[in-house]
Amino acid sequence: MLSIRTYQTEVLIIGSGGAGLRCALELHDKKRDVLVVGKCEKRDAHTILATGGINAALGTMDPQDSWQLHAADTIRDGGLINNPKAVMTLCKAAPRAILELVTWGANFHREKNGNITQRFFGAATYRRACFIGDHTGREILNVLVDQVEQRKIPFLSQVYIFSLLHSSQGVYGAVGWDIRKGTFVVIQAKAVVLATGGHSRMFSRSSSRFWENTGDGIGLAYRCGAQFMDMEMFQFHPTGMVYPENAAGVLVTEAVRGEGGILLNTHGERFMRRYDPARMELSARDVVARAIYTEVQAGRGTQHGGVWLDITHKPKDYILQRLPKVYAQFQHFLGIDISKKPMEVGPTAHYSMGGLWTNYTTGQTSVKHLYAIGEVTSGMHGANRLGGNSLAEIMVFGRLTGEALARKVKRQRWRSLNKKTVDTLISTFSQQFKNKRGNDPLKVKQDLMQMMWEHVGVVRNGKQIAAGLQLLEQFKKTSLFVHGPLPMNAKLLAALDLQHMLPTCEMILKSALYRTESRGAHYRSDHPTILSSWRKNVYCTPTRQGLRLFTKPVAKIPNTIQRLILEKQPTTHLLE
Ligand SMILES: Cc1cc2nc3c(=O)[nH]c(=O)nc-3n(C[C@H](O)[C@H](O)[C@H](O)COP(=O)(O)OP(=O)(O)OC[C@H]3O[C@@H](n4cnc5c(N)ncnc54)[C@H](O)[C@@H]3O)c2cc1C
């Protein structure tokens, strides 16, 4: 006997990270009915991994800073293909987001005079990242959850949404699986907001955790025929752990290089001299990532496919004071004292710049009644994300989408739940348990991520990508054997993840093949230069005949911002 719980809410928010919670608060305060669902625990969304800071041109340290300069830095670093309107909205509204967080109790680091401290992030003209120790994301999420609890906003944790309810009239709810109880959840809604985070787990080396950033929002929207943009744009952070296997990809903050850490290959050579002699280890993220990749490919890498990051020339006390988290990380995983031994590091998949297309002003996707906010969307960061901008984005667009939706859903009527559709979804889901043969979904997931890492990773080329697409066809045909006890079945969750990952991988591969130039994080060794003719966005839409890819030019950048982009050169500072 299947157990099904049903809910009705005006707005369903899928995702309880920063973006989802900020949106929920706005909807609640505008007197709308809202339900938040997350597949992890309440205070454990991916947002908590953010350490370094949140950008806002407050000018507390550098009064010359302005929202216009923030916008210019963002678009310049984004390879000039960001959505200019979205960037300007973000940069204007980011100071208000900081104020909101302060009002709600966020304890930002302050100067002796009481001003919020701001620090440099890579490619920022002035100091504009506000931070709370090295746990900015965790503090922001806690503050937002506290507010959600104070308002008693309904919240379902550990519920995995595996399908949206969708008809020709648009989206009207979702169906999920309660991971703890092993029961189904059916939610009817006037509108659905996807705040499901990014898709860095398409790659075997990733700074995310294994069970999140699996592209769920992308997969859910794909099956409703939504439009996506710039899926080829994926940021690889230069320094993640490469060893041991269970820690591979875990971020090693850029602060290590900011504090004087140097990169060495196995010959002991400080190889950044050959790639960027002026900025050395503090070069742009994509440049350092490609340099490390090239050293490893040329056989000058370490045993585990990385290079050495050495900070042993600094006193232990200094390291403990400045880099306590990295120190603890290497102690924990390897029992290594980084003041005595160098760290083995290599690039790791870090941030999804591409994703769902939205109009940004209201978060509306191309599908009726379906909205999206946060890392699941595209357009804000163009070809490269500026560190610190993502936390600002989730706060600003969480609020703006909440505001716009509150006005919309008030006038909107309910659509009735189609029982036949729900039954079909639940019985298709249950079929997975009936398969008596097939492959272990956990292993298939791992193999898929490895394929992506090898075929469309830090450096790509047409032949490799095309071969990756052929391999993807095999993955699509693989039958899965979901066995083991219920609930809390890791194999079942991996099988669900694969449903989202396969279309996400296909769009990344096809878009990467389509863009025949190199720009920002997208580097094609067979098309290594940036071409002005490619200053456009790549769109992807699922159709009955398969994926349709096309381009559209980027909107005009206003003259005031354009002038600043050309005038101001990014300075090299401590990077986080
Ligand atoms: C190591 C690291 C450090 C970072 N540091 C910074 C930094 O210093 N500054 C900065 O600006 N950015 C930083 N970022 C990026 C930033 O953390 C993220 O981009 C941002 O937190 C994304 O927030 P979000 O709300 O969009 O998604 P998330 O926080 O990823 O939340 C997604 C939510 O969706 C839920 N979900 C997903 N799929 C489903 C499903 N099928 N059913 C139900 N629920 C689902 C998840 O459970 C989760 O609650 C960092 C990222 C990493 C990995």
Side-chain angles (χ1 to χ4, degrees), residues 27-85:
L27 281 157
H28 175 89
D29 292 354
K30 298 273 181 317
K31 311 276 180 281
R32 303 300 0 133
D33 227 14
V34 56
L35 169 68
V36 182
V37 179
K39 69 177 179 180
C40 297
E41 290 288 0
K42 206 176 202 177
R43 291 181 190 263
D44 189 29
H46 176 270
T47 294
I48 62 166
L49 295 186
T51 50
I54 169 169
N55 288 344
L58 301 177
T60 58
M61 316 290 286
D62 300 312
Q64 313 90 308
D65 201 12
S66 65
W67 74 261
Q68 290 91 339
L69 278 167
H70 185 183
D73 287 345
T74 301
I75 295 175
R76 188 194 302 109
D77 204 50
L80 308 179
I81 59 164
N82 322 52
N83 174 337
K85 199 167 149 199

Side-chain angles (χ1 to χ4, degrees), residues 14-20 37-41 44-55 121 136 141 159-162 195-198 200 207-208 212-214 216-217 220 251 349-351 373-376 385-392 394 500 576:
I14 308 174
S16 52
V37 179
K39 69 177 179 180
C40 297
E41 290 288 0
D44 189 29
H46 176 270
T47 294
I48 62 166
L49 295 186
T51 50
I54 169 169
N55 288 344
F121 259 25
T136 310
L141 197 75
V159 168
Y160 191 125
I161 299 294
F162 60 85
T196 44
S200 60
S207 59
S208 295
E212 58 193 356
N213 267 28
T214 42
D216 300 17
L220 292 168
L251 198 72
H350 188 54
Y351 188 86
I373 38 174
E375 197 175 332
V376 71
R385 177 183 67 108
L386 210 69
N389 267 0
S390 176
L391 291 178
I394 61 181
H500 309 305
E576 296 295 329

Side-chain angles (χ1 to χ4, degrees), residues 193-384:
V193 180
L194 292 171
T196 44
H199 46 270
S200 60
R201 265 297 161 195
M202 297 311 108
F203 300 93
S204 49
R205 290 260 171 90
S206 160
S207 59
S208 295
R209 298 174 292 187
F210 187 78
W211 58 90
E212 58 193 356
N213 267 28
T214 42
D216 300 17
I218 303 283
L220 292 168
Y222 179 94
R223 286 190 285 282
C224 302
Q227 187 160 288
F228 299 85
M229 197 174 89
D230 295 340
M231 289 296 286
E232 72 283 16
M233 292 303 175
F234 204 90
Q235 185 171 71
F236 295 91
H237 196 287
T239 56
M241 292 181 77
V242 290
Y243 176 76
E245 205 45 51
N246 65 336
V250 172
L251 198 72
V252 179
T253 168
E254 277 171 28
V256 178
R257 283 174 283 136
E259 295 294 351
I262 56 169
L263 288 165
L264 302 167
N265 61 22
T266 40
H267 303 324
E269 183 199 4
R270 201 168 161 194
F271 57 86
M272 280 310 297
R273 267 193 206 108
R274 277 187 278 115
Y275 300 93
D276 188 347
R279 297 186 294 176
M280 299 290 281
E281 282 83 3
L282 295 181
S283 184
R285 271 185 190 174
D286 57 322
V287 176
V288 184
R290 276 197 299 279
I292 296 175
Y293 173 90
T294 310
E295 289 300 299
V296 175
Q297 291 299 308
R300 296 187 288 271
T302 59
Q303 184 194 350
H304 301 104
V307 294
W308 299 112
L309 174 58
D310 193 352
I311 187 118
T312 56
H313 49 282
K314 293 278 181 188
K316 183 167 178 169
D317 284 354
Y318 182 87
I319 293 172
L320 282 173
Q321 191 204 349
R322 297 297 187 107
L323 304 163
K325 215 172 157 204
V326 191
Y327 187 89
Q329 190 174 318
F330 277 83
Q331 277 285 342
H332 172 75
F333 284 113
L334 290 163
I336 284 178
D337 178 346
I338 62 166
S339 70
K340 296 200 169 69
K341 279 189 170 176
M343 296 159 260
E344 214 173 336
V345 296
T348 182
H350 188 54
Y351 188 86
S352 334
M353 274 85 67
L356 264 162
W357 175 88
T358 73
N359 72 1
Y360 260 106
T361 39
T362 64
Q364 172 77 60
T365 69
S366 61
V367 177
K368 241 177 154 182
H369 312 305
L370 183 64
Y371 297 78
I373 38 174
E375 197 175 332
V376 71
T377 64
S378 61
M380 168 61 64
H381 309 285
N384 221 342

